[in-house]
Amino acid sequence: MLPAMWRSEVKMDSLEIFVVESAIDSEQEFYRKIIEDNLASLKLAPAIGRIKVVLRPEDSLFQMAIILRDVGTRVTTIDIADVEAKPVAGEVMISIKKEQYIPELLGKLWERYGKANISQPDRWTVAITTDKPAEEAAFIAEMMVADPRHRLHENLVDFAVRATPEGFRVRYHLYKGNRFVFVASEEALKHEWIEEAGAMLEELTEGGKK
């Protein structure tokens, strides 16, 4: 790291620590704004507790380390809706309680039963026509609708790529537990750069100050 390193540490409302470092003051401010904008557009700030980004123009290097908050577990149908078998009608009725998961739920149901066998008389009700209502109701109740960690992984990679300087197409990332590391460059990545990003994670874990 260069001796003269500009450092910006901002306490955002939803982030415990937000640090951007660069040897170039204007670059630091520019990328801090890019990061803030993409955190907002991807709605990632609630999932991120701490973040640090380092830019080293002399190495064409971009490093990002993130400590995540608890993002929850997999969501099943029974977590978001009541499921009831209707043997006489040959249907399974789903009464939705959490509307944010409706697109994912419908996608899963269409894939399994086909759109022709699914009706939605109103926004909060889905009916599935089936010759095995009891069996299918039991399956649907335990069916995974969404995996927040999987979706978060995709969004984190998207976020990191958006924040990366143009032309930095050689990339590495690691997502494990509540930790995310991303390193990018115009050149072949050096192992020491990845190790440095790992050290950034440890710094964040200890409070973000070294």
Side-chain angles (χ1 to χ4, degrees), residues 11-23:
K11 298 281 187 176
M12 297 179 69
D13 290 342
S14 57
L15 299 179
E16 298 168 29
I17 295 171
F18 177 27
V19 178
V20 179
E21 292 184 359
S22 176

Side-chain angles (χ1 to χ4, degrees), residues 9-209:
E9 180 166 344
V10 181
K11 298 281 187 176
M12 297 179 69
D13 290 342
S14 57
L15 299 179
E16 298 168 29
I17 295 171
F18 177 27
V19 178
V20 179
E21 292 184 359
S22 176
I24 302 174
D25 187 28
S26 60
E27 184 177 74
Q28 168 204 286
E29 296 301 324
F30 176 74
Y31 282 102
R32 186 179 69 191
K33 183 64 165 60
I34 287 177
I35 290 164
E36 290 174 343
D37 289 347
N38 282 296
L39 279 174
S41 65
L42 291 170
K43 297 180 173 62
L44 274 174
I48 294 176
R50 303 176 178 185
I51 181 170
K52 180 175 180 179
V53 171
V54 173
L55 295 115
R56 290 222 299 267
E58 72 276 15
D59 291 326
S60 297
L61 177 63
F62 176 92
Q63 297 165 305
M64 175 184 287
I66 291 174
I67 302 293
L68 299 165
R69 303 180 192 275
D70 181 9
V71 295
T73 58
R74 294 181 176 185
V75 177
T76 61
T77 307
I78 202 66
D79 295 323
I80 64 167
D82 294 324
V83 181
E84 183 180 2
K86 299 283 189 179
V88 176
E91 290 182 337
V92 175
M93 297 296 296
I94 302 175
S95 300
I96 297 168
K97 296 181 290 185
K98 296 182 180 179
E99 66 175 325
Q100 67 265 39
Y101 294 103
I102 290 176
E104 289 95 333
L105 175 61
L106 287 175
K108 296 279 188 179
L109 294 174
W110 290 337
E111 182 178 348
R112 181 173 176 86
Y113 303 102
K115 290 187 178 183
N117 294 312
I118 297 171
S119 62
Q120 195 173 4
D122 60 62
R123 184 175 182 178
W124 303 98
T125 307
V126 178
I128 299 102
T129 301
T130 174
D131 57 358
K132 300 177 181 178
E135 181 179 323
E136 293 302 321
F139 172 83
I140 292 169
E142 299 301 324
M143 182 177 69
M144 187 183 74
V145 174
D147 185 346
R149 296 201 67 85
H150 177 72
R151 183 161 50 184
L152 179 59
H153 185 187
E154 295 177 345
N155 286 342
L156 282 170
V157 174
D158 185 18
F159 164 66
V161 170
R162 291 188 190 191
T164 301
E166 187 175 353
F168 283 39
R169 303 189 186 281
V170 184
R171 300 164 183 158
Y172 164 89
H173 85 272
L174 176 66
Y175 175 47
K176 186 174 182 180
N178 71 330
R179 297 180 166 202
F180 178 80
V181 163
F182 183 89
V183 182
S185 178
E186 292 180 313
E187 311 296 337
L189 295 178
K190 297 180 181 180
H191 183 66
E192 65 197 60
W193 293 346
I194 296 172
E195 289 183 335
E196 288 171 4
M200 287 163 56
L201 276 176
E202 296 306 319
E203 178 183 338
L204 288 178
T205 301
E206 293 170 7
K209 294 184 182 295

